[in-house]
Amino acid sequence: MRMPIGRYLELLLDACADDGGGVADYIPELAAADPDRVAVALATPDGEVYAAGDADLEFTIQSISKPFTYALAIADRGLDEVLESIDVEPSGDAFNEISLDEATGRPRNPMINAGAIAAHGLVEGADQDERDRRILDFYSEIAGRRLRIDEAVFESELSTADRNTAIAYMLRTVGTLEQPPLEVVRGYTRQCSVAVTVRDLARMAAVLAAGGRTPSGSRVLSPEVNRQVLSVMATCGMYDAAGDWLTHIGIPAKSGVAGGLVGVLPGQVGIAAFSPRLDEHGNSVRGVRIFERLNRDMGLHLMDAAEVAPAVVRRRLHDGIPVLEVTGDLRFVEAERVLRTFAEEREGEDVVVVDLTHVHHVNDVARRLLLEGIRRLNADGHPVRLVDPDRVLGSAEAGTGEIVHGEQPRGGYVPDRYEDAGAATRG
Ligand code: GLN
């Protein structure tokens, strides 16, 4: 079978053919970009990439670098230290506003240039070269290929970087920059000049969608850092259009003046679009259209509340013994439903069988709630027999004096199916 998703992306580009706006021209080299190019890519956390249009065309990452450098700064310095230098409030200002928050003296967020230049300066490195190298290595690792810097765009932007230089001196006067401002502007401009394709950006976004893991499963960002970055993208990623974007499209995103746009749907996909003409906020006109359309077709709004599984637990009697069969993935809400079923068991001496054969994943909160429920059932006098062949509860102590795991439940009662479940893990 041919996957229908690639074809869908081609149709999506056709549907978003109308263009408007103009290419960024404050960086001379960007003014030379072919404005008619357009591309889109979608990457899954396990590494599948679908793309259409000019998907192998390189362009400079520009401001889409900001969330990734911010992530590296937090990983290096810890969140508290980074928050002391850079706030997380949407500014409503243009991306290159020369401003600090009046009350705190900090840049308002890491997605505008003031915050991004400060974040760049917080990345560790013995000198600017090492800082530059670490940033490029990090982007390359999450993109899944060795990236390079577009030297022509770099030189071009550096020769006209007066505004960013003003911002860096301003940061230096309030004590936010440890290094000489010109050095940091140079490094920040190099970070913005990394050449990427939509495939690279979709892969980078998919790592954030996967909570900070690459498709091979290696962890590049802690869940806390990842969450911080996505939160800031959601509230500040689209500059002065951020509120409109979050309500309308509902995907944490970041745009760049070369025409790139990435979006991350946590737990699901990374998306990237490219088209050089920009609207008045500095966001790609067709990129925004592509996201609007994708959102409408695929239902990708972050605030669309996930449907709660209608039945996560079923109680039935087997030879007079209650069997609580749990199904699906368990998070807080689902675990609460299971606990309610536990609570309905009348106090007594009866064995209760809790069958987790059809549970695939239990998050940490659900796991603790379930173990607490089992402990309480035990305390009420019910010997609990747990069937957990895949060890979704791990090897945790349930407070029953016995370690809970996937082995055949001990005790007199074991229906055939449970014997099988136990046998599967005994061997
Ligand atoms: N390098 C650009 C700048 O600092 C990035 C801006 C952007 O992409 N919005 O001006």
Side-chain angles (χ1 to χ4, degrees):
M1 184 197 97
R2 244 190 90 213
M3 284 292 286
I5 299 173
R7 179 71 188 136
Y8 164 74
L9 292 180
E10 285 165 13
L11 295 173
L12 174 68
L13 290 189
D14 290 345
C16 301
D18 281 357
D19 207 356
V23 300
D25 54 9
Y26 75 102
I27 300 174
E29 192 70 18
L30 291 187
D34 176 353
D36 294 323
R37 300 300 198 112
V38 63
V40 63
L42 201 144
T44 63
D46 65 355
E48 199 60 41
V49 180
Y50 301 95
D54 300 303
D56 297 311
L57 180 75
E58 287 191 331
F59 52 91
T60 49
I61 189 168
Q62 297 299 340
S63 284
I64 300 168
S65 64
K66 291 170 179 173
F68 299 102
T69 294
Y70 181 58
L72 193 54
I74 304 171
D76 281 357
R77 305 274 187 146
L79 184 56
D80 289 346
E81 194 181 328
V82 172
L83 286 174
E84 272 170 32
S85 297
I86 311 161
D87 210 346
V88 286
E89 291 304 329
S91 68
D93 289 336
F95 69 88
N96 56 3
E97 195 71 20
I98 306 180
S99 68
L100 296 174
D101 185 89
E102 276 172 28
T104 65
R106 290 177 293 185
R108 290 204 176 83
N109 69 66
M111 300 294 110
I112 56 171
N113 288 12
I117 292 170
H120 180 94
L122 287 172
V123 171
E124 268 166 19
D127 53 24
Q128 189 57 44
D129 282 350
E130 190 183 337
R131 192 170 302 115
D132 290 348
R133 201 179 55 245
R134 289 194 61 231
I135 288 173
L136 188 60
D137 285 350
F138 180 60
Y139 294 2
S140 299
E141 185 180 10
I142 50 180
R145 76 170 179 115
R146 190 70 211 157
L147 300 175
R148 61 170 190 95
I149 287 176
D150 184 327
E151 297 291 344
V153 173
F154 165 67
E155 294 295 346
S156 172
E157 178 165 7
L158 195 63
S159 68
T160 58
D162 301 329
R163 252 193 116 80
N164 286 338
T165 305
I167 290 171
Y169 275 102
M170 173 184 74
L171 291 170
R172 176 79 176 180
T173 60
V174 295
T176 299
L177 279 191
E178 291 164 9
Q179 310 85 354
L182 290 178
E183 229 176 65
V184 180
V185 171
R186 194 184 148 81
Y188 165 76
T189 309
R190 282 189 88 66
Q191 131 186 353
C192 290
S193 305
V194 172
V196 289
T197 66
V198 283
R199 288 182 202 277
D200 298 325
L201 289 180
R203 279 201 201 91
M204 293 170 83
V207 170
L208 297 178
R213 282 189 198 276
T214 63
S216 67
S218 70
R219 177 162 290 293
V220 285
L221 292 173
S222 74
E224 296 73 25
V225 174
N226 201 77
R227 187 181 60 202
Q228 177 74 11
V229 171
L230 287 182
S231 304
V232 170
M233 284 171 75
T235 52
C236 315
M238 298 300 278
Y239 307 123
D240 38 349
D244 187 38
W245 177 269
L246 186 59
T247 49
H248 192 50
I249 315 276
I251 299 176
K254 188 72 207 78
S255 61
V257 285
L261 181 52
V262 305
V264 179
L265 205 63
Q268 296 199 48
V269 282
I271 306 162
F274 166 71
S275 176
R277 290 196 186 91
L278 308 178
D279 63 18
E280 70 275 21
H281 308 292
N283 300 326
S284 167
V285 170
R286 282 191 289 187
V288 170
R289 289 220 174 98
I290 288 168
F291 271 77
E292 273 171 349
R293 183 69 194 227
L294 248 172
N295 170 272
R296 211 170 66 209
D297 294 347
M298 303 284 210
L300 299 179
H301 200 295
L302 186 65
M303 302 302 171
D304 281 335
E307 283 177 39
V308 178
V312 290
V313 55
R314 193 169 73 101
R315 182 184 194 276
R316 62 185 182 84
L317 290 176
H318 187 102
D319 292 342
I321 293 177
V323 177
L324 306 180
E325 279 182 341
V326 188
T327 314
D329 291 348
L330 305 185
R331 299 162 303 172
F332 171 81
V333 261
E334 291 84 9
E336 185 272 343
R337 296 267 284 274
V338 176
L339 288 187
R340 247 189 283 162
T341 320
F342 285 4
E344 282 161 12
E345 289 301 321
R346 273 183 292 125
E347 279 189 32
E349 309 275 284
D350 300 341
V351 168
V352 173
V353 178
V354 176
D355 183 354
L356 302 180
T357 307
H358 298 294
V359 172
H360 307 296
H361 179 74
V362 182
N363 79 4
D364 190 47
V365 175
R367 185 173 148 273
R368 282 184 283 144
L369 285 174
L370 240 69
L371 288 170
E372 178 61 17
I374 291 169
R375 193 186 67 77
R376 287 179 181 223
L377 271 182
N378 257 283
D380 285 350
H382 296 287
V384 178
R385 303 284 173 250
L386 190 77
V387 185
D388 183 12
D390 295 330
R391 298 191 176 219
V392 291
L393 281 194
S395 300
E397 159 64 69
T400 60
E402 89 184 273
I403 302 293
V404 174
H405 51 59
E407 279 177 19
Q408 178 181 321
R410 272 179 271 148
Y413 167 81
V414 182
D416 294 354
R417 209 157 71 68
Y418 303 136
E419 272 177 356
D420 288 340
T425 60
R426 263 198 314 279

